[in-house]
Amino acid sequence: MSLKFDFNNLFSSSVGEHGVSQEDINEILPEAQKAASHLKKIISNPKARVKLNLEWAKLPEQDRADIEQIQKTGCEISKKYENVIFLGIGGSYLGLKAAQDALCLPYYNEFKSLRKKSPRIYFEGNNLDPDTLKTLLKNINPKKTFVVVISKSGETTETKAALMIVETWLKAAIGVKYGRRILAITDPQAGSLHKRVVAEQKKDPLAFRSFPLLKGVGGRFSEFNMGLLHLAIIGVNINELFCGAKEMSARCTRDDIFKNPAYMYALLHVILYRKKAKSLAVLMPFSQSLKSTADWYVQLLAESLGKKYHRNILVSADGDEEWLNDWDKIFAKGRTPISAAGTNDLHSIQQNNVEGENNKVVTFIRVENFKTDLKIPGKNDLLSGKSFSQLMRLAQEATEWALAGENRPNCTIIMPEISAFNWGALLFFFEMATAFEGELQNINAFDQPGVEGYKNYMYYKLGKPGLAKEIASEIENSPLVKKAEYIY
Ligand code: PA5
C-alpha cells in the first residue's frame, strides 16, 4: 500500500475564500506546464542533472552493486562496535536523525532488545553547545566506539570542531591507529576532509576509510546517498527504501500535473502563497517517530525556497543551462516552514493555527497502522476499550475538522504504516515537490547562499586565512551596531 494525498481542504469548496478555486488553477496552469517540462528536461539529461544539482532525482535508481560495499561496511561496524557517533550538521545530519527516529523503535539506544545487536547511535557535530559532546564522551567507552564524520566541504565549523575533539578522545584511548575508528563521508575530489582522507590513508590505508558524497547531490537532498551507511548500521532494508522512493518517483514524474502528487502539492501551495498570503507551512505528522522528519522538511523548504534573487537561466549554443542569480530581480520570499507534531502540539501551536492569523497551510501526516498498539483497560470510562492508534487517528481527523471549520487550509498525507518503503516515498515526494516549487517561483532551489553570511563572519573573527578581501571589508564597514540605550 502506497502513500495517499488528500488535498480536499486546500480548495475553496472546503475552506471558502481561503482556498484554491478552479479559476486559480486555470490561471497558473500554463506556467505549471512550462515548469514541469523544464524539470523533466533537466532530470532526463545526466550532464545537466549533475551540473544543476538535481542528481538526487536518480538516487533511488542506484545500482545495488554500488551500495553493496556500504552495506558490507555497515554490517562490519554494526557487529564490532557498541556505539557509533555520527558527526555532521544540516544536510549531513537531519536525514539521518529522521531515519533513526522513523525506522527504529523509540528508546532504541536505551534497550539492547530493540537494537537487535546493532550499536547505539549518537549524533554530534550539529551544534556548538559543549554540554552534549562533553557529556557523551565522558560516558561512553572510546574502545567500543566508531565515528562517522559527514561533511561535503570539511570546513563546517560545528562538524570540524567536534571531529577535532573526538579525534583527541579516540587517540588517547586507542593510540596512533585511532584513525581506523573513523570513516569520512565526503566529496571524493575536493575539500579539506577529502584532503585529510588522502593524507591519512597514505600513512595507514585502513585509517579514515571513506565513502563519496555524489556530485550534483546537495546536502538536504542526500539522504539516499550520505544516509546509506547509517541505514546499513541500524539494519534498515535499503532495497525496500529505494523501492518506495522509486514508486514515488514514477508518480511524481508524470507529465499530467493533475496525476502528479508532488506537482499538485507544490502548485496548490504556490497559489495559496501568492493569492491568499499563506506564507507559513506547518508540517504536523501525527506520530512521534516522524517529528524529526518534519525537522528534515524544515531544512528542505527553508534552504531550497527562501531566496533573495530570481534565477537567470543562461543557455549555451549546445543547449546547456547555467543558473545564475538575477541581480536585478529581487525575490526575497519563500514560505516559512514550521515543524510540529500531533498530538503534542494540539496543546500548543494548534491554538494559533485555528484562531491566529490565517496565514498558514498545515500538512498532516496520518499514520494508519502503528508499529505497536495499546488498548486502554477498563469498561467504565469513555476511553476504555479504545486503542491509542484509534485515538490518534481520531485526533488527526478532529484537527482537520477544526481547521476546515475555521476556513484554514490544510491537507493530509496518508501513510499506511511507517516502513522503509513508505518513508523513502515520503522523502522523495517532498524533494520533488520542493524542486517543482522552485521551478514555479523561478529560483535556484539547490543552493543556500544565505547560510554563508554567518560562516564568513565567524571565519573573519577567527582569522581564517584566505578569506576574500570583499568579505572582510563588508564586515569591517558594516559591523553589528549595539547601542547601550537599547540594552536593558
Ligand atoms: O543542504 C546543504 O547543502 C547544507 O545544509 C549542508 O549539508 C550543511 O551546511 C553541511 O555542510 P557540509 O556537508 O559541507 O559540512
Side-chain angles (χ1 to χ4, degrees), residues 39-334:
L39 201 53
K40 184 177 178 177
K41 185 180 127 198
I42 293 159
I43 289 177
S44 53
N45 176 342
K47 202 170 125 203
R49 248 187 356 246
V50 171
K51 183 176 168 195
L52 301 171
N53 293 314
L54 278 106
E55 184 62 10
W56 55 267
K58 291 288 169 191
L59 289 179
E61 288 163 36
Q62 279 172 87
D63 203 329
R64 281 294 296 164
D66 290 346
I67 55 172
E68 228 159 67
Q69 188 54 38
I70 297 178
Q71 195 105 45
K72 228 173 105 192
T73 309
C75 288
E76 174 211 311
I77 295 169
S78 196
K79 274 192 198 136
K80 242 172 137 175
Y81 298 96
E82 272 183 17
N83 317 297
V84 179
I85 309 177
F86 285 88
L87 304 177
I89 192 167
S92 298
Y93 157 62
L94 288 157
L96 274 73
K97 172 77 171 123
Q100 178 76 33
D101 291 349
L103 304 176
C104 294
L105 279 169
Y107 305 109
Y108 167 99
N109 271 2
E110 279 82 351
F111 304 110
K112 221 173 180 171
S113 61
L114 302 182
R115 294 199 299 278
K116 299 191 185 117
K117 296 194 178 148
S118 294
R120 290 189 189 86
I121 302 292
Y122 299 99
F123 298 104
E124 279 295 340
N126 53 59
N127 208 313
L128 288 168
D129 181 334
D131 293 344
T132 58
L133 184 56
K134 185 154 188 175
T135 307
L136 177 67
L137 300 186
K138 248 184 149 175
N139 287 287
I140 58 172
N141 183 348
K143 292 190 171 146
K144 296 181 176 175
T145 301
F146 193 83
V147 176
V148 179
V149 54
I150 310 179
S151 179
K152 191 164 206 157
S153 59
E155 280 308 301
T156 307
T157 307
E158 292 86 343
T159 311
K160 193 174 166 183
L163 178 63
M164 289 162 85
I165 297 283
V166 169
E167 279 190 71
T168 312
W169 173 78
L170 273 179
K171 196 172 178 180
I174 315 285
V176 284
K177 297 231 163 106
Y178 78 94
R180 294 184 177 188
R181 306 292 186 95
I182 298 177
L183 188 149
I185 302 181
T186 190
D187 189 310
Q189 272 146 7
S192 58
L193 186 54
H194 162 72
K195 277 193 198 137
R196 181 80 200 281
V197 165
V198 174
E200 292 293 336
Q201 287 185 356
K202 247 186 209 161
K203 289 188 264 164
D204 174 3
L206 297 177
F208 276 74
R209 280 180 290 167
S210 182
F211 285 123
L213 284 171
L214 299 175
K215 257 193 150 167
V217 181
R220 57 193 176 276
F221 289 86
S222 72
E223 173 53 18
F224 301 143
N225 168 204
M226 65 88 202
L228 297 182
L229 181 67
H230 164 252
L231 295 173
I233 292 173
I234 59 174
V236 168
N237 185 334
I238 294 174
N239 198 31
E240 199 191 315
L241 183 97
F242 280 179
C243 282
K246 256 191 279 188
E247 195 239 30
M248 189 53 73
S249 163
R251 293 172 74 185
C252 294
T253 45
R254 285 177 189 150
D255 292 337
D256 184 346
I257 289 167
F258 297 100
K259 295 208 166 88
N260 182 321
Y263 288 5
M264 230 18 225
Y265 181 86
L267 177 125
L268 295 170
H269 279 79
V270 166
I271 294 173
L272 290 166
Y273 182 36
R274 286 185 191 166
K275 301 192 80 175
K276 316 281 169 180
K278 309 299 177 213
S279 58
L280 304 184
V282 182
L283 182 60
M284 191 182 229
F286 273 66
S287 150
Q288 199 57 25
S289 316
L290 292 176
K291 174 70 171 83
S292 322
T293 303
D295 296 338
W296 167 85
Y297 163 83
V298 166
Q299 189 212 8
L300 183 74
L301 207 76
E303 283 197 343
S304 305
L305 301 178
K307 295 289 154 76
K308 185 167 178 183
Y309 296 103
H310 270 296
R311 178 182 58 174
N312 186 11
I313 303 177
L314 301 184
V315 187
S316 72
D318 45 11
D320 288 351
E321 286 190 14
E322 189 177 357
W323 295 356
L324 300 172
N325 280 338
D326 191 336
W327 307 111
D328 297 329
K329 283 194 192 146
I330 299 273
F331 176 68
K333 289 197 180 85

